[in-house]
Structure formats: structure tokens, C-alpha cells
Amino acid sequence: MGHPPLEFSDCYLDSPDFRERLKCYELELERTNKFIKDVIKDGNALISAMRNYSSAVQKFSQTLQSFQFDFIGDTLTDDEINIAESFKEFAELLNEVENERMMMVHNASDLLIKPLENFRKEQIGFTKERKKKFEKDGERFYSLLDRHLHLSSKKKESQLQEADLQVDKERHNFFESSLDYVYQIQEVQESKKFNIVEPVLAFLHSLFISNSLTVELTQDFLPYKQQLQLSLQNTRNHFSSTREEMEELKKRMKEAPQTCKLPGQPTIEGYLYTQEKWALGISWVKYYCQYEKETKTLTMTPTEQKPGAKQQGPLDLTLKYCVRRKTESIDKRFCFDIETNERPGTITLQALSEANRRLWMEAMDGKEPIYHSPITKQEEMELNDIGFKFVRKCINVIETKGIKTEGLYRTVGSNIQVQKLLNAFFDPKCPGDVDFHYSDWDIKTITSSLKFYLRNLSEPVMTYRLHKELVSAAKSDNLDYRLGAIHSLVYKLPEKNREMLELIIRHLVNVCEHSKDNLMTPSNMGVIFGPTLMRAQEDTVAAMMNIKFQNIVVEILIEHFVKIYSGPPEESATPPVPPPRVTARRHKPITISKRLLRERTVFYTSSVDESEGDSDSFSKVRPLGEKPTIVRPPVRPPDPPCRAATPQKPEPKPDIVVSNAGGISSSVVASRTRFFETASRKTGSSQGRLPGDES
């Protein structure tokens, strides 16, 4: 089961529920840390102990089998399903490798141990440091707050002001520590999907290809590896786009933490101290309070952050009125009185600060007037005729001059040039009076301006109203339903929005048709235009986690453009969610452990007459029950340099060559993959000759 997202707004409230959810993340972090240690330990045992090879592989396989990914949100993408199942697939494959008695390459630790150790030390270790700072700042803040709230209002004003400044400073430090810790722990939770799987994948790949006895097994492994690498890269791209949005949300929360109210939450909530009278005197009890303005319901939950304190159930009260408490009438600051239907008499409450008291009194319709500072809103653009003219001009220039530009739309233009172009085109005095062809605007400035215009519309192209339905359709496991639902929802868009969407998607289809030159596939364009054409109405972490499904919607629109825009579906309404399919889904999760097994060519040495040919002695299949003689592969050459080496003369066995092996590697895994493929081909050709053969 997935963990609920940690909202940045909860960092300011620091509620008990927030602490419980944070504890779940911390337990998961410790579980992941322990798992990585086990993988590193078992991997080292496998590499260093050749005589204990079989037992080490079995233990490593069991460790992988026992681990299961937890995730944020309620649904996984197809790529994330592949990643979540990858360790089980690896474990099954290791069991098969054990039967083949493969030998370990000497430098496999560079592919497995070091990346995992770096991730554990740099990412998980850094997260633990954030946790220590968070706990230390929290303890210091609440300790100072307790002392501060017991200050007498009769002290000198200068002393009170100095105490207020000290509390505000500690509150700010604690809030920043909380934001940094929540952001870091969620980033590790998300990034571990590829940071843990990718080193294991690279290690397995080197394990299979380094030994000539496993050439045929490597041929079976390559398609799975490529599909999983594609899933990892897609997941990494989704993560990158989501992280940018979350950083913006985090920045906005730092500037104005109380301006973001999530839908479905109370009007105001937070800690209050209540004056309770006893036979022996008066005490102040700490409560976590939630007030709903529509029903006038105040829920008070007794809480104590000290361990071992007895917890009582929440108390629901119906508010009658609220009034500010006069300063001279009580020896406490920030107090206000309320009356409820359930309790006789007046209840005196103490807020955490003067500003906090104002917020509570405003929510409860208190008598003290409240003034809000205006919130500046980013300048928005409209979907009008001048906007259509701008989009058409941008598309015309891009398709005429730069459609083959490598990294089109991914390369960002200068912010100064983008603003200059937008200001010139949308100038109220002469709108649209900009000649794109005969000016100094480069392609990346035009593409960045187009994305900026679409992203800053007052309402996204695919509208707020249909956002949840589109995301829900992308989350469906049934691929036919995904396409049918999105097809239907496109024709529920307003006419202008549908016209703009068709204009953009048609252009993206043209861009993807030149993907051999510009390297922009439908998946890449989905990552770029998902957050551009779709946007949730509320800025929350949960909404950011759905960006990957927005990307899938755009990817489907590109891949099925002809069908979707050939006309509306037969039924205008979105089809109901179908029952589970009787037949298997068209895109199954990728697997290697369940593939059909085939007869394997046995590589061994034997004493043969010189008259026998090399190829006959090498490719001979061993009789049933006969054990082969293992041929030790040569020592592996050193790692390849960062840049592509001089092209080698093509070797035989083209069936194991990756289609794009000649290009520059996009990652460390890809570069080492191609290196091992070349090494295995050379090994296979050199070992095809028996000892003593000169020719």
C-alpha cells in the first residue's frame, strides 16, 4: 500500500497526523537503507568468494525477492509497474544463472557496489542529517514556545518584543528545517526507484555478458534490459518534471505558508492552549484545534508531544460567539474567549502569537477587524485570437527552420529573450506585430515562449473541469479504455480549447516524425507538454505526483492523433470503467523469467583430431548427462573512456548487437552495456578456436 504524500502546508501546522505520516516515511527509509546494505554485503560476497559463488548468488536472489517498492499516490504507471516487478524478475534470472555456473567478472563492484554505496551515503545519509536538524530545531522551538507563553503581560514592552522576535526566529528555523526534511525524504522515496534498480541492472548485465558460456542467455536478457532501461528513463523524466513543480511549490510555501489551504480541510487548524479551572487552581492545557466555519464546529483534541502521555479523544463543540480577551483582564497574552452550546460559561483560549489570534478570530467571526495583505498573482494570458496567432506563428517558424534541431523544446532559451519576445508580441498598442522569420529570434527562444504562453494561460488548454477525469483515464490498466476515455473527453473541451489542442498536438506529431534528427519521441514530448497543457487547480504535493499521468495523456494524444481527431467517438459520453479483461492485456509487464526456454549451445573443450574443423568442435551439443569443461574467458579490458571510442570493425553474430550501439551513450549504464557487448563478441570469436589451431 502506498504512503500518502506529505504536504508542505502540514510542515507549518506540525499536526499529530503529520508526525505519524512522517514516521511511516522514516520507517520506509530505514527499511530501504537496510536493504541496500544487504545488497552491498551480498554483492561483495558474490564478487570476492568464487568458491562460494552458488550460495552467494542464492542469498542475493532471496534478498532481491524479499524487497517490494512502496510508492507515493494511488496508482502506478506502466513503467513504474515494470520497475516494481524488476527485482522479482532479477531473482528468477539469478536462479537460472546459478544452474549455468557463470563466473563473475573482476570489476563488477564498480557497477553495483559503488552506485548503491553513494546513494546510501549521499542521499539516505543526507536525509538522516536533515532529520537530526529537524528534531533538534523542533525541540528547541517548542521548548522556547512553552517558556514564551508563560511570560507575564506585565513585563516591559521591550522584553516582550524581544521574546516575540526570538520565538518568530525559532519558528522560522523550525519551519525551514521541516520543509527541507519533508522535501528530501520524499525525493529519496521517489528517486530510489531508478537509483537502486539501475546499478543492479548494470551488474546483472555485466554478469551475463562477461562469460562466453552465457552468450545465448545474454541474447534473451537484452530485450528485457532495454525495455527496463526505457522504463527507468521515462520514470526519471517524470521525476525531473515533478521535482521542478515541487520546488516551485516549496518556494511559494516558504514565502507565504498560510495562504495555501487544501480542499476538504477545516477553515483553520492549529495548536491552542485552553484555560481549565480546578479545585486547586488554574492550568493551561494544550489542544490541537480544528474549526469548520460553515458548521461552526470546533474540534479540540488533547495532545502532548512528550512520550508516554495519555491521549484522550477529540471533543466537538458548536460555537456561539467569539470575542477578544482584554489584555489587562488576564495574565496571559494572545487570549480570546468563546462560548459554545455544549459547555456552560466562557472558554478562554490562548493562541501562539498575535497574528495567529487574528486568524482564529477572523475564522470565528470575532469582533476584532482583520486585514490581509494582498497576494500577488502571476500575470495570466488568455486563449484569444491574438493567442492563436502567436501559437500559429511559433509553429510555422519551428517547422520551417528548426524541426530537426536536436533537443527541440527540451533546450531552454534565455529568459530575457523570451520576455522580450512575449512583450513585443502581446503589446496592447500593436499586438502580433512581430516578424519571426526576419528577426533575431532563435529556435529555443521561440519554443520557450510558446511553452511559457501555454503554461501561463488563466486556465490550461485541457481545462480544470476535465483534469481529474483525464488523469483517472490515464491511470486505468485497460489500454483500450485509456484511449476511448481520452478520445471522448477531448470532445468535451470548449471549442476554442479543442481547436488549440488540435493545433498543438498536430505540431507535436510533426516534431516526433523527425525524432531520428531531433531525438524527441512521443514520450519525451509528453514529459515536456504534460505540465504545459494540463494543470491541477490546487497546488499540492498530491497534484504534483499526478504529473506523470498528465504526461501519459499527452503521449496518447500524439500516438493516436489520427484516430482521435478524425471525429468524435460514437458515444459522446465517457465509457464506463470496464470489468476486468478476460483476455490478457496487450502490454504485459516486461518479464524474462517466464520466457520460453530453448536449447543452448554448449561451449567446452575436448581432445579432437586436427582434421576436425574449428566450428564443428566449438558448436557441438554435449550428450545428455555429460558435464562440459568450462573455458575461462580472457581478462576483461579496462573500462571505456567517457567519449565514444573509434568505431571497431564489425564482428560476426549481428543478432546480439543493439540497434543504436554506435551512438553516444546517454548514461553510464548504456556506455558500459555497449562495451560489454563488444567484449563478448570478441570473446566469442576468439574462443571459437581450439588450442593449437594456428589458422
Side-chain angles (χ1 to χ4, degrees), residues 632-652:
R632 187 176 185 86
V635 178
R636 207 200 78 175
D639 288 344
C642 297
R643 298 192 178 273
T646 305
Q648 300 290 334
K649 183 178 179 181
E651 296 288 342

Side-chain angles (χ1 to χ4, degrees), residues 22 383 390 656:
L22 187 59
L383 194 63
F390 176 72
I656 66 170

Side-chain angles (χ1 to χ4, degrees), residues 70-100:
D70 286 338
F71 56 91
I72 298 176
D74 57 356
T75 309
L76 292 176
T77 64
D78 292 341
D79 292 320
E80 289 173 332
I81 292 174
N82 293 336
I83 294 174
E85 296 294 325
S86 60
F87 282 145
K88 293 181 180 178
E89 298 293 334
F90 295 160
E92 293 293 333
L93 195 58
L94 282 174
N95 289 332
E96 184 177 349
V97 173
E98 166 61 17
N99 296 331
E100 296 291 338

Side-chain angles (χ1 to χ4, degrees), residues 637-649 661-665 670-672 674-676 678-679 681-682:
D639 288 344
C642 297
R643 298 192 178 273
T646 305
Q648 300 290 334
K649 183 178 179 181
I664 296 176
S665 304
S671 64
R672 297 195 174 182
R674 292 169 188 152
F675 171 77
F676 287 130
T678 304
R681 291 197 295 274
K682 291 182 178 180

Side-chain angles (χ1 to χ4, degrees), residues 248 378-382 387 390-391 394 398 409 412-423 426 444-461 504 528-529 531-533 535:
E248 287 296 324
Q378 186 178 10
E379 184 179 356
E380 296 172 338
M381 298 184 174
E382 300 297 332
F390 176 72
V391 172
C394 289
I398 294 168
Y409 281 109
V412 182
S414 167
N415 287 334
I416 297 176
Q417 290 296 104
V418 169
Q419 290 298 327
K420 184 178 178 181
L421 174 57
L422 291 170
N423 292 336
F426 291 96
K444 62 184 180 182
T445 298
I446 296 175
T447 55
S448 297
S449 300
L450 176 58
K451 289 188 294 182
F452 184 90
Y453 166 75
L454 294 173
R455 186 168 287 203
N456 287 276
L457 290 171
S458 56
E459 185 176 21
V461 174
I504 295 297
I528 294 171
F529 279 87
T532 302
L533 298 176
R535 189 167 71 247

Side-chain angles (χ1 to χ4, degrees), residues 475-639:
K475 289 181 178 180
S476 173
D477 289 338
N478 189 298
L479 304 182
D480 297 332
Y481 173 74
R482 283 189 201 175
L483 176 58
I486 292 174
H487 187 181
S488 178
L489 290 169
V490 164
Y491 285 88
K492 287 187 176 183
L493 290 170
E495 185 177 352
K496 277 190 174 182
N497 295 66
R498 188 167 67 251
E499 182 183 351
M500 176 61 78
L501 182 63
E502 180 179 2
L503 183 65
I504 295 297
I505 300 300
R506 186 187 302 276
H507 167 60
L508 298 185
V509 171
N510 294 336
V511 172
C512 293
E513 288 177 353
H514 296 80
S515 59
K516 289 186 178 180
D517 298 313
N518 57 37
L519 306 180
M520 302 308 294
T521 62
S523 176
N524 293 337
M525 301 310 293
V527 171
I528 294 171
F529 279 87
T532 302
L533 298 176
M534 294 180 64
R535 189 167 71 247
Q537 194 161 10
E538 66 277 357
D539 284 337
T540 64
V541 174
M544 302 304 174
M545 292 302 168
N546 282 330
I547 289 179
K548 55 193 174 187
F549 296 105
Q550 298 173 196
N551 304 344
I552 292 175
V553 171
V554 175
E555 187 176 345
I556 290 174
L557 290 174
I558 296 173
E559 292 178 341
H560 301 278
F561 172 77
V562 175
K563 179 177 180 179
I564 292 175
Y565 282 98
S566 61
E570 296 179 0
E571 297 180 1
S572 59
T574 304
V577 177
R581 293 169 60 100
V582 178
T583 58
R585 56 187 287 178
R586 183 164 58 90
H587 287 169
K588 294 181 180 179
I590 57 175
T591 179
I592 186 174
S593 59
K594 298 179 182 178
R595 72 193 188 284
L596 294 177
L597 298 179
R598 60 186 179 183
E599 288 188 9
R600 296 189 180 279
T601 302
V602 179
F603 299 87
Y604 68 101
T605 59
S606 61
S607 55
V608 295
D609 296 333
E610 293 184 359
S611 60
E612 294 182 357
D614 297 344
S615 61
D616 292 339
S617 65
F618 185 75
S619 61
K620 186 182 296 182
V621 178
R622 75 171 185 264
L624 184 64
E626 181 178 340
K627 295 183 178 180
T629 302
I630 302 298
V631 177
R632 187 176 185 86
V635 178
R636 207 200 78 175
D639 288 344

Side-chain angles (χ1 to χ4, degrees), residues 23 126 256 401 419:
K23 187 177 180 180
F126 182 66
K401 297 170 57 178
Q419 290 298 327

